[in-house]
Amino acid sequence: MQTFDQALYAHVVAERVSVEDALLVASSPHDFKLLLDAEGRRGTTMADVTPADQGPSSPLTLVS
């Protein structure tokens, strides 16, 4: 099962609907923008979070 906005996102990615038109009909335009920015990911994990000064493969160093 998926939400209307998730289905709408799939149409935007497939270039059947423009982002502008999608924002006009989205259930929640703000959340739809977040979905676009997250490239469709609906959840995040710690693997998605990296410090700004370290690359994705660098280990996170805790400073106390």
Side-chain angles (χ1 to χ4, degrees), residues 12 17-24 32 36:
V12 170
V17 176
S18 71
V19 172
E20 294 80 17
D21 288 341
L23 287 170
L24 291 174
F32 189 76
L36 288 172

Side-chain angles (χ1 to χ4, degrees), residues 38-60:
E39 298 175 344
R41 288 189 317 265
R42 290 176 276 177
T44 57
T45 65
M46 288 306 293
D48 295 329
V49 180
T50 57
D53 61 339
Q54 295 179 355
S57 61
S58 300
L60 179 63

Side-chain angles (χ1 to χ4, degrees), residues 28 34 36 50-51 59 62:
S28 172
L34 294 176
L36 288 172
T50 57
L62 299 176

